Amino acid sequence: MEVEIYFKFILGFVLILIAAKIGGVLVERFLKQPAVIGELLAGVVISPFALGGLIFGSDPIILNFAHIPFEHLSEWGLSGDGHFSVMEVISEIAVIVLLFVAGVETDVRSFVRQARLGTLVAVGGVLLPFVFGYLMTMVFFPEAPNTAKLFMGAVLVATSIGITVRILMDMGKLHTRAGTTILVAAVIDDIIGIVVLSVVASIAQTGAVEAGHIAVVTVAGFAVWLLLLFVGVKFHRQISRFILRPFKNSEAIPIVALLVGFLISYLVTLVDLHPVVGAYVAGLMFSACAEKEEIIDKIRPIMLFLAPFFFCYLGMQVDVPAMAPVAAFAAVLVVLAVIGKIIGCYLPSKFVGRFSNNEAMIVGVGMVPRGEVGLIVAGVGMLIPGALGTDDMARELFGAAVAVSLFTTLLTPIMLKPFFRRAVKVEAKQDVKHEAGS
């Protein structure tokens, strides 16, 4: 009896979730690290390049990427590489729900207060990593075209807000001053990353910068983000009255809020922003509403169910053998990706935000993970003929980008824990002094 294709998708979905849960539990219980690390590593283990390939062989769906040919994209006015992946869609849905919940849980007024500092942190975290990525590619691949160096610089630019949010959630630090600053910076960082990617892709495709397009992307990106934030802060009572309360009797308020989040996630893509930016800002819109706690209580379990899929599926993208030929380059790139973000984000936090050394380090380290964003940038480079040099060079550079995405994500929670532990001790000492003084 042949198994219907959509039944295989169900099996693949379940197996990924099971692997993610097992990996998360093992890492939490035995290594005392956040579950996200176990979920990522579980993805590496069950990927088609490892255990998945051994067990299911050439099956294109089960523990594989299940790319479905989509031959009529251009005829329908759509862009893409001619393939459609069900698992990628599920992964995108998972991270949208994660960012929506993070937005609802955020104190929107605290978010606004940290906007200036977050912007400086984001800019600081972009400049150094880009320079490091460009220079190291020039050193290790002197024959690489200039576009390849630019793309590798862009790979190091953008922080993965999805991974950052999950790490802060796992550690219970989403609502701290440092946590809010990281979130503001990560959102702005994502917009800057889109602009950088647009510039680099334009150079790769046409040999020149299309200033008009870049200006539109920049202005539209920030305008949409600020508009949604303004609506959430100023009109939260109207949002409750006209959008949420009509569904109070049917107890569908949380679902309606989530649906609005999905809608906004799509709408922001029309100005070239990533859907997670829309999801997070949509969550912020509801964070000032009276129904905030009800939304969190009902949507958080959905997030806890889906989010591990995103991180496990991200881990499945890692082809460990493919990284071997560029191990030295990848190692240097990972180290500089970490150092660049920490220095670039530490300095404005310390000297503009007046954070303590420990808090400023939390901000710097919290901005380190590149995750899926680095893979997206490198993937765009792979799709432009010649942008990353020869085919062999392109594969090596992509392998290095994968290493940066994987190891910056794995290292971040490990590096963050000591700083958060120290912060707790400092708070405890201050409480003791305050009680003694009173």
Side-chain angles (χ1 to χ4, degrees):
M1 170 181 170
E2 291 188 5
V3 179
E4 293 283 354
I5 187 170
Y6 42 83
F7 293 162
K8 285 192 174 186
F9 279 114
I10 294 172
L11 176 60
F13 175 70
V14 171
L15 289 177
I16 292 172
L17 280 177
I18 290 173
K21 182 54 65 177
I22 292 173
V25 169
L26 289 176
V27 165
E28 277 187 320
R29 183 172 298 177
F30 297 107
L31 300 182
K32 308 301 180 185
Q33 295 295 331
V36 64
I37 293 180
E39 292 160 7
L40 280 162
L41 291 176
V44 176
V45 171
I46 67 168
S47 77
F49 310 112
L51 198 59
L54 290 174
I55 296 175
F56 295 100
S58 59
D59 191 297
I61 297 175
I62 303 175
L63 297 186
N64 211 324
F65 303 127
H67 284 139
I68 302 171
F70 218 31
E71 300 173 355
H72 303 289
L73 287 179
S74 59
E75 296 176 18
W76 298 339
L78 301 174
S79 61
D81 61 358
H83 291 86
F84 172 79
S85 174
V86 174
M87 294 304 183
E88 285 181 15
V89 173
I90 297 173
S91 178
E92 200 69 46
I93 290 172
V95 75
I96 286 172
V97 176
L98 171 65
L99 266 295
F100 176 79
V101 171
V104 178
E105 290 186 349
T106 301
D107 182 343
V108 69
R109 288 173 179 80
S110 176
F111 185 95
V112 172
R113 282 197 300 270
Q114 299 296 335
R116 173 174 168 268
L117 175 60
T119 301
L120 294 174
V121 168
V123 172
V126 163
L127 296 176
L128 269 181
F130 184 86
V131 172
F132 285 159
Y134 184 94
L135 292 178
M136 286 305 100
T137 307
M138 185 168 62
V139 170
F140 281 87
F141 295 87
E143 71 283 8
N146 192 52
T147 51
K149 299 163 192 172
L150 291 171
F151 266 110
M152 294 310 292
V155 165
L156 269 60
V157 163
T159 295
S160 170
I161 184 173
I163 291 171
T164 299
V165 163
R166 177 62 188 279
I167 291 170
L168 292 173
M169 279 184 171
D170 283 354
M171 293 183 168
K173 303 298 180 181
L174 191 65
H175 309 299
T176 61
R177 182 170 67 153
T180 303
T181 302
I182 291 170
L183 288 178
V184 177
V187 170
I188 297 172
D189 185 291
D190 194 89
I191 298 173
I192 295 174
I194 292 296
V195 173
V196 171
L197 179 58
S198 297
V199 172
V200 174
S202 175
I203 293 173
Q205 290 173 322
T206 67
V209 178
E210 296 179 5
H213 175 68
I214 303 307
V216 169
V217 171
T218 305
V219 173
F222 279 102
V224 169
W225 178 68
L226 291 171
L227 175 63
L228 291 172
L229 190 59
F230 175 79
V231 169
V233 172
K234 294 295 183 181
F235 300 102
H236 58 90
R237 291 185 180 85
Q238 288 80 0
I239 291 172
S240 291
R241 181 180 177 185
F242 296 108
I243 298 178
L244 299 179
R245 287 177 192 165
F247 299 93
K248 185 174 183 179
N249 292 336
S250 60
E251 299 184 351
I253 284 177
I255 299 301
V256 170
L258 181 59
L259 292 175
V260 172
F262 276 112
L263 180 61
I264 292 175
S265 296
Y266 166 73
L267 291 176
V268 300
T269 66
L270 301 180
V271 292
D272 286 344
L273 290 180
H274 195 282
V276 297
V277 174
Y280 183 71
V281 180
L284 282 177
M285 285 175 54
F286 293 109
S287 68
C289 295
E291 297 81 4
K292 171 179 178 174
E293 294 303 323
E294 182 182 355
I295 294 170
I296 293 172
D297 289 344
K298 297 294 176 60
I299 302 301
R300 189 176 176 84
I302 300 175
M303 182 272 291
L304 293 174
F305 172 70
L306 286 175
F309 181 93
F310 167 74
F311 296 102
C312 192
Y313 189 73
L314 178 61
M316 287 175 64
Q317 317 297 311
V318 178
D319 184 355
V320 176
M323 293 190 288
V326 287
F329 174 57
V332 172
L333 215 56
V334 168
V335 171
L336 291 178
V338 172
I339 292 174
K341 276 291 183 184
I342 291 177
I343 294 175
C345 300
Y346 171 90
L347 292 176
S349 301
K350 173 66 178 175
F351 297 106
V352 179
R354 304 295 182 184
F355 283 17
S356 66
N357 286 325
N358 194 67
E359 273 188 307
M361 282 300 295
I362 288 173
V363 173
V365 175
M367 291 291 289
V368 163
R370 302 321 197 270
E372 80 288 356
V373 180
L375 296 178
I376 290 170
V377 173
V380 171
M382 291 283 283
L383 292 175
I384 301 174
L388 298 182
T390 64
D391 290 346
D392 289 341
M393 185 185 295
R395 280 191 291 270
E396 291 179 351
L397 291 175
F398 186 78
V402 170
V404 169
S405 296
L406 174 65
F407 288 106
T408 55
T409 301
L410 292 176
L411 288 171
T412 298
I414 296 172
M415 293 190 296
L416 271 177
K417 286 193 81 171
F419 293 109
F420 276 128
R421 199 177 296 124
R422 196 173 304 154
V424 171
K425 289 180 181 179
V426 170
E427 290 173 5
K429 288 181 181 179
Q430 289 175 344
D431 290 341
V432 170
K433 287 181 181 179
H434 184 265
E435 290 175 3
S438 58

